[in-house]
Amino acid sequence: MKKNLIWNIILIIGIIPFVLPFAFGIYKISIEAWTMFDWLVMYSYIFWPTYLAGAVVIAVSIIGRIIKR
């Protein structure tokens, strides 16, 4: 049970880089003259390594769950 919780936490940490641009985008739209598409393109261009890191962490979590069984 406890190991399953650890893999769930690791999975959530891996999902954060994919959700964060939308949260920051909503903030930027509310205080500056951005569109969501412009913000996501700019964020993705500058912070593309965060997507790779998130994908790796998600893969580690999934592999950890499979090996655990």
Side-chain angles (χ1 to χ4, degrees), residues 11 13-15 17-18 49-62:
L11 180 65
I13 290 170
I15 292 172
F18 297 102
T50 61
Y51 296 136
L52 293 179
V56 168
V57 171
I58 290 171
V60 166
S61 173
I62 292 171

Side-chain angles (χ1 to χ4, degrees), residues 18-29:
F18 297 102
V19 175
L20 204 59
F22 292 101
F24 284 159
I26 291 169
Y27 174 72
K28 285 290 187 182
I29 288 170

Side-chain angles (χ1 to χ4, degrees):
M1 180 79 172
K2 195 171 198 175
K3 289 188 179 191
N4 194 21
L5 178 66
I6 292 171
W7 292 118
N8 286 339
I9 292 171
I10 292 172
L11 180 65
I12 291 169
I13 290 170
I15 292 172
I16 288 173
F18 297 102
V19 175
L20 204 59
F22 292 101
F24 284 159
I26 291 169
Y27 174 72
K28 285 290 187 182
I29 288 170
S30 69
I31 63 168
E32 296 177 8
W34 286 88
T35 64
M36 183 61 86
F37 179 75
D38 291 340
W39 169 255
L40 290 175
V41 168
M42 195 235 6
Y43 184 93
S44 297
Y45 182 75
I46 294 173
F47 297 112
W48 64 268
T50 61
Y51 296 136
L52 293 179
V56 168
V57 171
I58 290 171
V60 166
S61 173
I62 292 171
I63 291 170
R65 286 178 171 201
I66 291 171
I67 291 174
K68 186 189 89 117
R69 291 181 190 192

